[in-house]
Amino acid sequence: MDRISALRNVEDALADFESGETDLGATERRVVNVLRTYATEFEDGDLTAYRASGAEPADGLVVVAESPAQARERVNERLDPADVTFEVEQLD
């Protein structure tokens, strides 16, 4: 899914919420699903999505980076690295 498709899908979800066709919970799930699909299919030039696995709170954290080393740095920027151990893997 490209960025434009993702934005259109989010816009559709918001329009359904605004018109009363869906409630907030359903809208949240729909937007999260769009974002997860976008992230797992993300590949833009040299950037790729990576998922951290290991101890909480790193487990499941997804970042976009040029390499596994950069992905590790980006995860560390979001967490206190002394508190967590993790690995990163490229999303398929």
Side-chain angles (χ1 to χ4, degrees), residues 1-15 27-43:
M1 173 183 302
D2 65 10
R3 180 185 293 198
I4 299 299
S5 295
L7 291 172
R8 284 186 183 139
N9 287 331
V10 169
E11 187 175 83
D12 290 345
L14 293 174
T27 303
E28 288 174 333
R29 286 187 296 277
R30 193 167 159 193
V31 170
V32 166
N33 286 335
V34 169
L35 181 57
R36 286 188 180 163
T37 301
Y38 176 78
T40 58
E41 294 177 0
F42 185 88
E43 218 171 297

Side-chain angles (χ1 to χ4, degrees), residues 34-44 47-53 58-65 67-68 71 75 87-92:
V34 169
L35 181 57
R36 286 188 180 163
T37 301
Y38 176 78
T40 58
E41 294 177 0
F42 185 88
E43 218 171 297
D44 185 23
L47 296 175
T48 303
Y50 292 86
R51 176 181 289 128
S53 60
D59 195 49
L61 187 65
V62 175
V63 296
V64 176
S67 67
V75 170
E87 297 298 321
V88 293
E89 63 182 275
Q90 184 174 336
L91 294 177
D92 294 325

